[in-house]
Amino acid sequence: ANTKRALHLSAVNSYSSLNQSGCSTVPGMDDAAEFQITKRALGVIGVSEEEQKMLFSLVAGILHLGNLQFSPKGSEGSCVSDQNVLTLVSQLLGIPSPRMLEQALTSRSVSRGTKGSSRYVVALKVDQAYESRDALAKSLYSRMFDWLENRLNHSMEDTTTEFNIGVLDIYGFEIFQHNNFEQICINFVNEKLQQIFIEL
């Protein structure tokens, strides 16, 4: 509860990046208990309490980042609609200035000439700002996943034996109350791929 409050987190359905499927709960799963298990597991692989705080702050920042909305500014530009959300995201991601984050999301720098001798800033339209926001969220999440994977691999290093751990992350497997035919086909193929992967 303290972590949730410190990260300004609320119900799962209030985050754009989590509420798209309409399925935010799994019957029989206790999120609070799972969170404690996750924290213990992170400790086992050597992730310190301070690193865990930064990790959870990053995840919360990504969730809040997905809720940033943009409005038109002038004829060609855009701006963040809610400065409070922008400030919160900046704090959670450790960005010194909300204005710096807004500028990064609503404009791009263009270089011309040899060795970038001429540089100028181009304002992004609202739809481009949303694309910029989503690209940043995906990049942050991807880098966080890579960092966790490296920490896990490092914690399992053993110079006396040789072994590998593989993670198969298959897009498309979801838990729904009712699966349509397309989802059943995707799940079937994913299960077959998983079997092949395990046999390797």
Side-chain angles (χ1 to χ4, degrees), residues 145-159:
F145 187 87
D146 291 344
W147 180 83
L148 275 172
E149 183 182 27
N150 287 334
R151 287 301 293 266
L152 177 62
N153 287 336
H154 181 71
S155 73
M156 295 173 53
E157 282 181 357
D158 182 1
T159 56

Side-chain angles (χ1 to χ4, degrees), residues 6-75:
L7 300 175
H8 303 276
L9 294 173
S10 54
V12 171
N13 290 331
S14 62
Y15 299 100
S16 178
S17 54
L18 299 178
N19 66 15
Q20 301 301 304
S21 70
C23 178
S24 59
T25 59
V26 177
M29 184 170 285
D30 181 355
D31 291 336
E34 293 293 326
F35 180 66
Q36 293 307 316
I37 291 168
T38 300
K39 287 177 68 173
R40 281 195 302 276
L42 288 169
V44 167
I45 65 168
V47 179
S48 70
E49 287 286 328
E50 189 61 33
E51 288 173 321
Q52 287 185 36
K53 285 180 185 176
M54 290 188 296
L55 188 66
F56 299 141
S57 182
L58 177 59
V59 172
I62 293 169
L63 289 175
H64 288 292
L65 176 63
N67 282 356
L68 276 181
Q69 300 294 310
F70 298 92
S71 303
K73 181 180 180 183
S75 61

Side-chain angles (χ1 to χ4, degrees), residues 1-9 57 60 64 88 91-92:
N2 290 339
T3 302
K4 189 174 178 181
R5 196 169 28 257
L7 300 175
H8 303 276
L9 294 173
S57 182
H64 288 292
L88 176 60
Q91 289 171 349
L92 291 170

